[in-house]
């Protein structure tokens, strides 16, 4: 575990992928890359951009498991919320958590929208640690967390929960906010599955996207490849990551079984709760209620990698090469380099959404995301 102290510093350099400077968008005499380098030097300045994992837990598995243990320990990053219930046009509902204190009274104040991972939410450590940082000075920005249907204390009101490519709920919520606050600058940040949903949404919207910028953290990009890898009969899948994700999906079903089974689509509850992996769950529940022919069709169609070329707002992607849930082989380096609006920051280490550093095991991500938000709001 001491190898982090023995390896040369360049080994931990953040690797950037982006279009050539002459092709990047410019504002105020600065290209996108120049703006990030000036305001986000620890992620975009080659001379200063490093991520050195904590020597206590240098590996991706250890970091990811430790992150999970912190989800329900608010002492380190105390954040309180004010909850609203948002009703969608089809009658479905979702929890909306506004970080306190509310700073959205001004119709022109910026607003950051977080999209969590599978069945995740505002209690997750990666969300709390970022909100704790961005809500304080010198930033002081308002954050709102959009949860998935059937999660975080709000029951389903229709048989449909969510899936990896479901962007309609995000689209409707963003439209609602934009109409209420037409002068506010909106920034979207997605984590894990939420990063895939956010990226796909931004690509679908193209030039009409209501975000001024967006960020993606630990994005799987290719849902089909990722899910197939998670369904492989390995010890990790059977007892750790894939098993935990499958249990989360089954929990959403069992908590809302009465509403789901009351729908028009015939479902076998026993087969759903007996699903051994994500694909089996999708075959028995998701594809049936959402009208897909197969889990593969669902996964391929829901992958954000197909929409990268259509993104027309600045977007930062942060991925770790040792992420045990989002694999190196699914990171679309070439596709990102072809779009001048995109920047990919890759680290050798960090695990899945963890990125702990130092002997005190503190999170590295909040400062990077906060400086990115600041860079986009000051780039004029």
């Amino acid at each position: 575990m001491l190898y982090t102290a023995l390896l040369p510093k360049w080994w931990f350099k953040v690797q950037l992928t982006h279009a050539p400077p002459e092709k990047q968008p410019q504002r105020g005499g600065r290209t996108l890359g120049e703006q990030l380098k000036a305001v986000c030097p620890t992620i975009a300045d080659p001379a200063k951009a490093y991520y050195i994992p904590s020597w206590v837990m240098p590996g991706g598995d250890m970091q990811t498991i430790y992150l999970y243990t912190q989800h329900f320990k608010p002492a380190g990053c105390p954040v309180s919320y004010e909850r609203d219930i948002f009703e969608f046009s089809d009658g479905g509902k979702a929890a909306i958590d506004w970080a306190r204190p509310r700073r959205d009274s001004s119709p022109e104040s910026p607003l950051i929208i977080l999209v969590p991972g599978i069945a995740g939410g505002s209690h997750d450590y990666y969300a709390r640690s970022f909100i704790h940082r961005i809500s304080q000075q010198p930033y002081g920005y308002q954050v709102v967390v959009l949860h998935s249907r059937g999660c975080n204390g709000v029951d389903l009101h229709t048989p449909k929960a969510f899936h990896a490519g479901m962007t309609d709920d995000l689209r409707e919520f963003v439209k609602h906010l934009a109409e209420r606050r037409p002068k506010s600058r909106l920034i979207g940040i997605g984590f894990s599955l939420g990063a895939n949903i956010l990226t796909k949404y931004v690509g679908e919207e193209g030039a009409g996207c209501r975000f001024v910028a967006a960020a993606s953290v630990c994005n799987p990009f290719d849902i089909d490849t990722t899910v197939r890898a998670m369904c492989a009969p390995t010890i990790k899948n059977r007892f750790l990551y894939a098993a935990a994700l499958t249990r989360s999906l089954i929990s959403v079903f069992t908590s809302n079984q009465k509403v789901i089974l009351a729908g028009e689509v015939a479902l076998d509850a026993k087969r759903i709760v007996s699903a051994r992996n994500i694909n089996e769950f999708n075959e028995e529940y998701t594809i049936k209620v959402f009208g897909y022919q197969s889990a593969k069709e669902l996964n391929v169609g829901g992958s954000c990698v197909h929409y990268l070329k259509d993104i027309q707002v600045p977007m930062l992607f942060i991925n770790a090469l040792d992420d045990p849930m989002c694999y190196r082989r699914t990171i679309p380096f070439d596709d990102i380099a072809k779009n001048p609006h995109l920047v990919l920051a890759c680290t050798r280490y960090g695990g899945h959404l963890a990125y702990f550093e130092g002997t005190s095991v503190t999170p590295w991500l909040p400062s990077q995301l906060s400086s990115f938000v600041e860079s986009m709001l000051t780039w004029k």
Side-chain angles (χ1 to χ4, degrees), residues 358-369:
T359 56
S360 56
V361 194
T362 54
W364 175 80
L365 273 175
S367 294
Q368 315 314 315
L369 292 174

Side-chain angles (χ1 to χ4, degrees), residues 159-164 224 227 249 260 265-267 272 278-302:
K160 293 182 179 180
F162 56 87
H163 63 78
D224 185 52
V227 170
L249 295 172
I260 293 174
V265 178
L267 299 170
I272 295 173
I278 298 171
N279 261 346
E280 287 189 5
F281 179 87
N282 284 339
E283 289 284 359
E284 295 299 332
Y285 166 70
T286 312
I287 68 169
K288 294 180 179 179
V289 297
F290 283 97
Y292 289 89
Q293 296 301 310
S294 66
K296 184 173 182 63
E297 180 190 4
L298 170 72
N299 294 336
V300 172

Side-chain angles (χ1 to χ4, degrees), residues 89-144:
S89 56
D90 68 347
K93 297 181 180 181
I96 308 297
D97 283 351
W98 296 83
R100 291 176 174 170
R102 291 281 290 264
R103 295 184 175 87
D104 62 329
S105 56
S106 170
E108 298 183 8
S109 59
L111 183 59
I112 303 161
I113 302 168
L114 295 195
V115 188
I118 285 184
S122 57
H123 65 277
D124 289 339
Y125 186 77
Y126 61 79
R128 294 198 331 269
S129 59
F130 166 68
I131 293 171
H132 184 69
R133 182 77 180 92
I134 197 71
S135 62
Q136 297 180 351
Q137 295 302 322
Y139 307 111
Y141 297 127
Q142 176 68 57
V143 181
V144 60

Side-chain angles (χ1 to χ4, degrees), residues 137-170:
Q137 295 302 322
Y139 307 111
Y141 297 127
Q142 176 68 57
V143 181
V144 60
V145 182
L146 170 64
H147 295 94
S148 296
R149 301 187 189 203
C151 299
N152 290 276
V154 178
D155 295 334
L156 286 178
H157 289 257
T158 72
K160 293 182 179 180
F162 56 87
H163 63 78
M166 183 176 173
T167 55
D168 288 346
D169 285 358
L170 176 59

Side-chain angles (χ1 to χ4, degrees), residues 136-208:
Q136 297 180 351
Q137 295 302 322
Y139 307 111
Y141 297 127
Q142 176 68 57
V143 181
V144 60
V145 182
L146 170 64
H147 295 94
S148 296
R149 301 187 189 203
C151 299
N152 290 276
V154 178
D155 295 334
L156 286 178
H157 289 257
T158 72
K160 293 182 179 180
F162 56 87
H163 63 78
M166 183 176 173
T167 55
D168 288 346
D169 285 358
L170 176 59
R171 178 173 292 102
E172 191 167 343
F173 181 60
V174 172
K175 181 175 182 290
H176 166 77
L177 291 176
E179 289 174 349
R180 286 184 57 192
R181 305 157 56 92
K183 295 184 179 181
S184 279
R185 288 171 294 169
L186 307 180
I187 292 181
I189 301 180
F191 299 89
S192 191
L193 183 71
N196 181 80
I197 292 172
L198 174 68
T199 304
K200 182 172 178 280
Y201 162 78
V202 175
E204 289 172 343
E205 295 296 291

